[in-house]
Amino acid sequence: MEKFFKLKERGTDVKTEIMAGITTFMTMAYILAVNPGILTTGTGMVFGKVFAATAIASAIACLVMSLLANLPFALSAGMGLNAFFTYTVCLGMGYSWQFALTAIFVEGIIFLLLTICNVREAIVNSIPTGLKKAIGAGIGLFIAFIGLQNAGLVVGGATLVDLNPEWIKSPACIVTVLGLIITGILLAKKVKGALLIGIIAATVIGIPFGVTAYAGGSYLPSAPYFCEFAFKEIFASGRSVFDFIIVMFTFLFVDMFDTVGTLIGCAGKSNMIQADGTIPNCKEALFADAVGTTVGAMLGTSTVTTFVESASGVSEGGRTGLTSLTVAVLFILSLFLEPLFGSIPSAATAPALILVGVMMITPVTEVDWSDFTEAIPAFMCILMMVCTYSISNGIMFGILFFVIIKAFSGKVKEISPMTWVVFGLFIVKIIVNTL
């Protein structure tokens, strides 16, 4: 173990690595309740199957990160992309969950090829930096908005959206608000596993309010889905083919920036970034999320990506793959706790969704708001993502405004070839949708 993980070389030991892994798992275990909750909302998917798929895909991705990259970063189903899966592809566009899984599967294959061919970083670098930051921030607000809706705090009204006039009388709303307060205090005090502790606390509070009820069921692991793809649905019409390309590209686009940004952030926190700006075993780390995404789609869950919560384990001293190996083991053990996770009400997970939004919005400070050719596209991306209830719409408006404003402001050279390609795809999408 010492030789394989190079513990002494990286200034760590077995105890430190295992504790770091436990810490990381505690901070991200909320995904086991939140991800199935989001993916099963109106899609027809089954909680137990998605729960199993999430746990298994996360474990496999963490194993690859551990054994191949030897890095202390953990992976699971990414927040934001699961919302895009449910609220945009399935509920918004009207496609089946099998259609969405097929898009993720194809995306995963492309990820594998791009990673093997060493072109993934080049593609990432070609996308405008400001839009990368805006996309993350927009998804954060979108997730928070979903959390407010799931809690019943925000409802439809004369002004399209309104504060629920009966929120103070609603048990679910009260549980959510109390969960927000508790989790917020824990985060402010930098308590490890604050989101998970907050979910547990809100779940317990929900019992006397009649919000929490034991789901029941077996503690034996459920079987996940297996290769439930919908290639026939994709080729049903020209519109569905084009929509599939847009959906697949959106998954690819968002996941690409999420993973690379997280890797850079966590590597910087652990002082792993080299003098030339590179990250040790970066290719292997990117390979881990590509494998996780592909396997996850086969099992029945949305895109798997590197979690920013990995920074919590790094803060506890995690420096090697033994940390991510520990997380993998804990994900496998969680398979035997499905009834407990299934008993967690949406009012208890809503605070986690809202506060994840707080964490994801921070990149917006890195947008150059003094340059309108950067600020307007970023703002439109965030605004349209939330107001149209669609991540892809936000990205579309961001790219459209970026290219048009840059082009007419004499800054054509700042538009990369790949950005022009994306711009062209969205123009075609608009034309097709108007036919």
Side-chain angles (χ1 to χ4, degrees):
M1 186 175 290
E2 160 60 37
K3 291 182 179 180
F4 185 85
F5 290 112
K6 301 177 182 178
L7 300 179
K8 289 184 179 179
E9 180 182 321
R10 298 193 184 181
T12 184
D13 55 44
V14 173
K15 181 180 178 181
T16 299
E17 293 294 301
I18 292 177
M19 289 305 298
I22 293 173
T23 299
T24 295
F25 180 78
M26 285 182 63
T27 61
M28 64 185 291
Y30 67 88
I31 196 65
L32 290 170
V34 174
N35 191 56
I38 290 178
L39 294 190
T40 56
T41 302
T43 64
M45 299 188 84
V46 178
F47 184 95
K49 288 181 174 294
V50 179
F51 178 89
T54 303
I56 296 172
S58 301
I60 291 174
C62 287
L63 279 174
V64 176
M65 181 69 78
S66 169
L67 304 180
L68 194 62
N70 193 23
L71 291 172
F73 309 141
L75 306 90
S76 190
M79 291 296 297
L81 291 169
N82 49 12
F84 175 72
F85 181 108
T86 296
Y87 298 99
T88 297
V89 181
C90 295
L91 301 183
M93 300 172 73
Y95 290 108
S96 68
W97 57 266
Q98 292 92 338
F99 179 98
L101 285 180
T102 308
I104 295 172
F105 176 73
V106 173
E107 174 225 338
I109 297 298
I110 294 175
F111 254 21
L112 285 171
L113 295 175
L114 292 177
T115 303
I116 292 171
C117 297
N118 297 317
V119 298
R120 205 164 152 192
E121 295 89 339
I123 293 177
V124 171
N125 292 334
S126 71
I127 304 299
T129 301
L131 280 182
K132 291 179 188 176
K133 307 299 182 183
I135 290 169
I139 291 174
L141 285 176
F142 183 42
I143 290 173
F145 185 47
I146 291 171
L148 290 172
Q149 287 187 309
N150 288 349
L153 278 168
V154 171
V155 296
T159 55
L160 297 183
V161 290
D162 195 2
L163 176 66
N164 184 348
E166 301 292 324
W167 75 269
I168 197 64
K169 299 178 182 179
S170 167
C173 290
I174 293 173
V175 169
T176 297
V177 172
L178 291 176
L180 271 173
I181 294 172
I182 293 171
T183 309
I185 292 172
L186 292 174
L187 286 171
K189 288 181 172 293
K190 299 182 179 179
V191 175
K192 299 296 186 298
L195 292 178
L196 180 59
I197 295 172
I199 290 175
I200 294 172
T203 300
V204 173
I205 292 172
I207 295 175
F209 281 93
V211 174
T212 302
Y214 181 59
S218 174
Y219 281 87
L220 294 176
S222 296
Y225 291 104
F226 185 72
C227 295
E228 294 280 350
F229 299 135
F231 287 102
K232 288 184 178 180
E233 184 179 359
I234 294 168
F235 295 104
S237 67
R239 179 181 295 275
S240 59
V241 171
F242 186 79
D243 281 344
F244 177 82
I245 294 173
I246 294 297
V247 168
M248 184 274 295
F249 181 81
T250 300
F251 276 124
L252 181 74
F253 184 82
V254 177
D255 187 26
M256 193 175 297
F257 303 133
D258 193 25
T259 295
V260 172
T262 301
L263 279 176
I264 293 173
C266 291
K269 193 174 183 66
S270 56
N271 297 317
M272 290 183 180
I273 298 180
Q274 306 297 307
D276 60 357
T278 60
I279 300 173
N281 299 331
C282 182
K283 179 179 179 179
E284 290 80 359
L286 293 173
F287 188 73
D289 87 283
V291 170
T293 293
T294 306
V295 172
M298 294 173 66
L299 297 176
T301 188
S302 53
T303 307
V304 172
T305 186
T306 306
F307 261 52
V308 70
E309 285 84 357
S310 299
S312 63
V314 170
S315 298
E316 291 295 309
R319 293 294 181 271
T320 74
L322 184 53
T323 293
S324 45
L325 176 61
T326 301
V327 178
V329 172
L330 292 173
F331 268 120
I332 292 298
L333 293 177
S334 68
L335 283 169
F336 298 90
L337 300 175
E338 179 193 325
L340 296 182
F341 283 98
S343 301
I344 299 173
S346 58
T349 57
L353 292 174
I354 296 167
L355 294 174
V356 164
V358 175
M359 300 171 189
M360 294 183 69
I361 200 172
T362 53
V364 78
T365 60
E366 300 175 38
V367 176
D368 185 0
W369 296 105
S370 63
D371 181 353
F372 283 110
T373 65
E374 295 285 338
I376 294 175
F379 179 75
M380 291 303 299
C381 176
I382 295 171
L383 181 67
M384 298 305 289
M385 199 174 289
V386 178
C387 293
T388 66
Y389 218 71
S390 168
I391 294 171
S392 61
N393 282 344
I395 295 174
M396 178 178 72
F397 274 87
I399 291 291
L400 293 178
F401 273 82
F402 180 86
V403 170
I404 294 172
I405 293 178
K406 287 286 186 182
F408 283 92
S409 299
K411 298 183 178 181
V412 177
K413 293 182 179 180
E414 295 182 20
I415 307 172
S416 71
M418 181 58 68
T419 306
W420 278 110
V421 171
V422 179
F423 175 80
L425 281 174
F426 280 127
I427 291 294
V428 173
K429 180 180 186 295
I430 294 171
I431 294 173
V432 169
N433 286 345
T434 57
L435 297 178

